[in-house]
Amino acid sequence: MEGSLIWILVVHILVIAYQGEVGASDRIQKNFQYNPKQPHRTAYHFQPSKNWMNDPNGPMYYKGIYHLFYQYNPYAAVWGNITWGHAVSHNLIDWIDLEHAIEPTEPYDINGCWSGSATILPGGNPVILYTGADFKNRQVQNLAEPKNPSDPYLKEWIKAKNNPLMTPINGIDPQFFRDPTTAWQGPDKRWRVVVGSQIDGHGTALLYRSKDFVTWTKSEKPLHFSNKTKMWECPDFYPVIVSRRNGLDTSVHSKNSKHVLKASFNDQDYYIIGTYNPETDKFIPDVDFMESYLKLRYDYGIFYASKTFYDSAKRRRILWGWVTEGDDKLDDIKKGWSGLQSIPRSIVLDKNGKQLTQWPIKEIERLRRKEVNLQNKGIKGGTAFEITGITASQADVEVSFHLPNLHDAELIHPEKVDPKILCSEKNASTKGVIGPFGLMVLASKNLTERTAVFFRVFKSHDDKYAVLMCSHQTRSSLRKVVNKSSFGAFVDVDPKENISLRSLIDHSIVESFGGGGKTCITSRVYPELAVGQEAHLYVFNYGTKSVTISNLHGWSMGRAKIFPAHGKKMFPTPN
Ligand code: DQQ
């Protein structure tokens, strides 16, 4: 025990020393992150130095180090040659990008090492289950183990000799069989794992069980399926605890826990909450996929193929998602890279028990630098004002609004409208009564370019209120060939209390958290004018009624330290 504590300390010192050294090297920093020649690269989101990245894979905490693996093309800025990239961190913000962890080398993964998850076995050793696209382009599930589990960086991985462990037999379509979850152990000590699939045209979470993690048997019944969706990619299944802020390890089951099932389809990450019985492996959702008007999603913007893991160091569950580009493939080739990872988010069951809430991990706050504050400031209808004094292209902004009486709010039937469409019809320039009010981010001085993240409050038919949150991007860039569609969703908050918004702004990404993280919208934008020092930040209210800023805190953000490892000698392996 004492020995491992000392080792964790040594690892931390090594990581910090290493970062200090690289912090001094401007050359490496420039290659990796935002710089005037690459104005859309980010400063504090994880991205590798170049080429294509998609799904986050196998995140875990091991011997004092956080690991993030990711789908990566080592040769180009487009999807292909899929390999597991691997980065390590001691704080989830600063990263060292290591050598690839898993490469397509064997008949069972020669056409790509696709998404998968890590499981920490009893005793503490990690293993990875991942999908291989095999020599016949069938999808199969494979196991990889660390070559040296005493290496906290887990630099080298060995593929199991019995691979593939699960193959598409008995009616499973070989093209629809992928993305194993983190495994969990039932009361009978057998492992369970879910694999994404499509059976008879319906999205399905196939369930497998194993005594030894090597021989897996498919359960006759899937964990769940939905005839309202097609193929489920990257499923995730984990417990959350009622009325508490901490997370639960994946195998934990208690009378105070509920279970979350997430599936990626239609370019979005949808989730449902329900009750799981580990004796029978029955999962009964409270409300099924696509059946509530909120159609619960982690994020209503650009955020896909996400994955959570349990951080045993801080007893929390952390979520990561892939944030794609919204520009043209040719632009990606020209700029030499594509894809970001979201800021890791803590994810908990909301106190209403009906949805999850997410919040950027606390560690991100260490990048906060120069600060501006405002209190109790009224904003008349039809006005906007600039927040000065912070770097608007690289910022963290938290604001909460207090609303006047809501009697005259416009009427709406929230169940009958598509909030995304509503956000483009009633966009930031369309005057309303209560709203639109919110932030204009990555804006040029004269507002020619701007991304508006805002709320609008409606009265619903039964004398309740509906709060709409939008990210309106039609004017986010002068460039024509970029995706400027708007995003929108309702936020389940009472507008008679304050409505809060937090936006993490990082050059070409805006991650916004409405209502304390009940509704999240992530956008990618490619301003031409509002770049670097030329970006501005405004608060606006284009409703007829005034609103009041109860509080606004904004910070310039520093850069995360993200850099490649310089060869194996920087990572001494303990004896
Ligand atoms: N990406 C992986 C697949 C997964 C998809 C391939 C989701 O395993 O289904 O790169 O983005």
Side-chain angles (χ1 to χ4, degrees):
M1 180 65 193
E2 218 171 81
S4 67
L5 277 178
I6 291 170
W7 173 237
I8 287 171
L9 205 68
V10 169
V11 167
H12 281 195
I13 291 166
L14 279 173
V15 172
I16 290 161
Y18 193 6
Q19 287 174 346
E21 180 197 311
V22 172
S25 165
D26 209 25
R27 187 175 53 81
I28 292 162
Q29 292 276 346
K30 270 187 181 162
N31 283 346
F32 245 72
Q33 288 168 295
Y34 163 80
N35 69 72
K37 285 195 188 141
Q38 283 272 9
H40 298 129
R41 280 187 76 81
T42 58
Y44 60 93
H45 282 75
F46 177 77
Q47 21 180 180
S49 61
K50 58 181 179 183
N51 294 331
W52 168 275
M53 171 174 67
N54 56 302
D55 319 348
N57 289 157
M60 69 170 126
Y61 178 77
Y62 183 67
K63 289 192 192 286
I65 299 284
Y66 293 101
H67 292 256
L68 171 67
F69 303 87
Y70 54 90
Q71 295 277 281
Y72 185 58
N73 182 351
Y75 308 111
V78 295
W79 188 88
N81 314 300
I82 292 293
T83 294
W84 276 43
H86 182 193
V88 289
S89 170
H90 71 284
N91 60 11
L92 290 163
I93 299 298
D94 302 314
W95 293 95
I96 303 169
D97 202 19
L98 302 181
E99 315 258 311
H100 306 147
I102 309 176
E103 295 177 325
T105 53
E106 305 301 320
Y108 52 77
D109 65 11
I110 194 70
N111 283 308
C113 300
W114 291 5
S115 283
S117 307
T119 303
I120 309 277
L121 300 178
N125 281 2
V127 289
I128 283 172
L129 280 173
Y130 71 97
T131 299
D134 79 358
F135 66 109
K136 286 187 174 165
N137 266 315
R138 291 176 309 190
Q139 293 161 18
V140 298
Q141 316 315 322
N142 303 316
L143 178 70
E145 293 168 276
K147 185 169 177 190
N148 175 8
S150 59
D151 167 18
Y153 296 108
L154 299 171
K155 291 188 299 286
E156 290 178 81
W157 289 81
I158 300 175
K159 298 172 187 175
K161 58 180 186 316
N162 325 45
N163 282 340
L165 305 187
M166 297 169 223
T167 52
I169 49 171
N170 299 337
I172 300 172
D173 186 326
Q175 302 307 308
F176 295 133
F177 183 50
R178 56 183 183 267
D179 309 337
T181 60
T182 294
W184 70 97
Q185 232 175 352
D188 58 3
K189 296 286 166 222
R190 280 188 302 170
W191 290 99
R192 277 93 169 139
V193 83
V194 150
V195 180
S197 189
Q198 173 180 300
I199 306 283
D200 298 332
H202 309 318
T204 304
L206 297 174
L207 179 69
Y208 284 77
R209 297 190 191 87
S210 172
K211 278 190 190 140
D212 57 3
F213 229 92
V214 175
T215 308
W216 292 88
T217 312
K218 185 165 92 54
S219 152
E220 237 172 72
K221 291 205 173 127
L223 181 76
H224 196 56
F225 73 95
S226 164
N227 55 17
K228 299 210 166 82
T229 77
K230 293 212 167 8
M231 172 68 190
W232 288 354
E233 296 187 305
C234 301
D236 199 1
F237 187 62
Y238 56 90
V240 282
I241 189 150
V242 178
S243 318
R244 295 257 283 281
R245 305 304 293 168
N246 58 300
L248 292 178
D249 206 346
T250 313
S251 295
V252 172
H253 188 269
S254 83
K255 61 178 182 340
N256 287 332
S257 59
K258 303 278 286 183
H259 265 75
V260 176
L261 175 63
K262 183 278 291 189
S264 304
F265 51 87
N266 298 348
D267 294 331
Q268 300 269 299
D269 279 11
Y270 292 84
Y271 70 87
I272 51 179
I273 299 167
T275 308
Y276 167 65
N277 180 340
E279 314 268 345
T280 58
D281 284 327
K282 264 202 181 134
F283 172 67
I284 302 171
D286 298 344
V287 183
D288 213 337
F289 283 112
M290 317 310 271
E291 282 183 0
S292 78
Y293 82 97
L294 284 173
K295 298 199 176 62
L296 289 171
R297 277 167 253 185
Y298 283 161
D299 193 297
Y300 293 80
I302 301 183
F303 187 96
Y304 193 67
S306 64
K307 199 168 289 298
T308 63
F309 77 103
Y310 177 65
D311 171 7
S312 56
K314 299 214 163 141
R315 299 177 67 221
R316 58 188 172 173
R317 186 161 283 275
I318 291 177
L319 166 73
W320 250 298
W322 167 38
V323 184
T324 60
E325 302 299 313
D327 60 358
D328 194 77
K329 206 172 176 176
L330 290 176
D331 286 319
D332 292 346
I333 293 169
K334 204 161 128 203
K335 68 188 201 273
W337 57 274
S338 173
L340 306 177
Q341 298 299 331
S342 68
I343 289 298
R345 305 170 178 182
S346 285
I347 185 161
V348 294
L349 185 65
D350 187 75
K351 54 182 181 306
N352 70 14
K354 292 187 201 148
Q355 69 163 114
L356 301 169
T357 52
Q358 300 160 53
W359 202 243
I361 51 159
K362 186 95 183 120
E363 287 87 333
I364 192 73
E365 294 171 22
R366 70 172 63 206
L367 292 180
R368 287 174 170 174
R369 302 282 185 267
K370 221 172 155 199
E371 182 174 357
V372 288
N373 290 307
L374 276 180
Q375 252 107 40
N376 281 328
K377 184 174 166 59
I379 333 172
K380 285 209 178 97
T383 63
F385 67 91
E386 185 171 358
I387 305 290
T388 53
I390 58 171
T391 308
S393 54
Q394 205 174 296
D396 180 0
V397 185
E398 288 191 52
V399 55
S400 82
F401 296 97
H402 179 72
L403 307 183
N405 83 49
L406 303 167
H407 287 324
D408 300 327
E410 299 153 89
L411 274 176
I412 206 184
H413 293 269
E415 302 82 6
K416 293 190 183 159
V417 293
D418 178 339
K420 184 173 154 109
I421 295 175
L422 197 59
C423 284
S424 45
E425 284 170 4
K426 290 188 179 278
N427 60 50
S429 317
T430 316
K431 292 199 178 356
V433 180
I434 319 280
F437 60 88
L439 301 174
M440 300 256 189
V441 304
L442 296 173
S444 58
K445 185 77 194 156
N446 53 7
L447 291 177
T448 310
E449 283 185 334
R450 75 226 191 160
T451 296
V453 188
F454 62 87
F455 300 108
R456 218 177 246 276
V457 179
F458 298 93
K459 197 184 269 183
S460 64
H461 51 109
D462 49 4
D463 255 2
K464 290 205 176 108
Y465 295 94
V467 178
L468 180 70
M469 174 174 165
C470 303
S471 173
H472 179 234
Q473 291 162 215
T474 319
R475 291 174 60 176
S476 59
S477 173
L478 290 180
R479 265 166 68 188
K480 293 219 164 66
V481 197
V482 293
N483 185 352
K484 296 185 211 167
S485 23
S486 296
F487 302 110
F490 289 108
V491 197
D492 187 13
V493 288
D494 180 355
K496 289 188 214 115
E497 291 167 16
N498 280 3
I499 300 182
S500 72
L501 173 66
R502 177 171 181 191
S503 288
L504 294 173
I505 305 156
D506 194 2
H507 300 278
S508 65
I509 178 168
V510 184
E511 276 186 77
S512 298
F513 302 81
K518 282 185 151 186
T519 298
C520 308
I521 301 182
T522 297
S523 304
R524 289 303 304 280
V525 289
Y526 302 87
E528 294 252 283
L529 306 172
V531 293
Q533 294 303 321
E534 298 306 316
H536 299 265
L537 171 70
Y538 294 85
V539 186
F540 77 102
N541 172 21
Y542 292 164
T544 52
K545 300 277 179 191
S546 302
V547 301
T548 303
I549 297 177
S550 303
N551 273 299
L552 182 147
H553 303 285
W555 295 266
S556 298
M557 292 293 271
R559 277 169 182 251
K561 298 184 178 77
I562 303 174
F563 53 87
H566 303 290
K568 292 185 179 143
K569 66 179 182 339
M570 293 309 294
F571 299 97
T573 311
N575 294 323

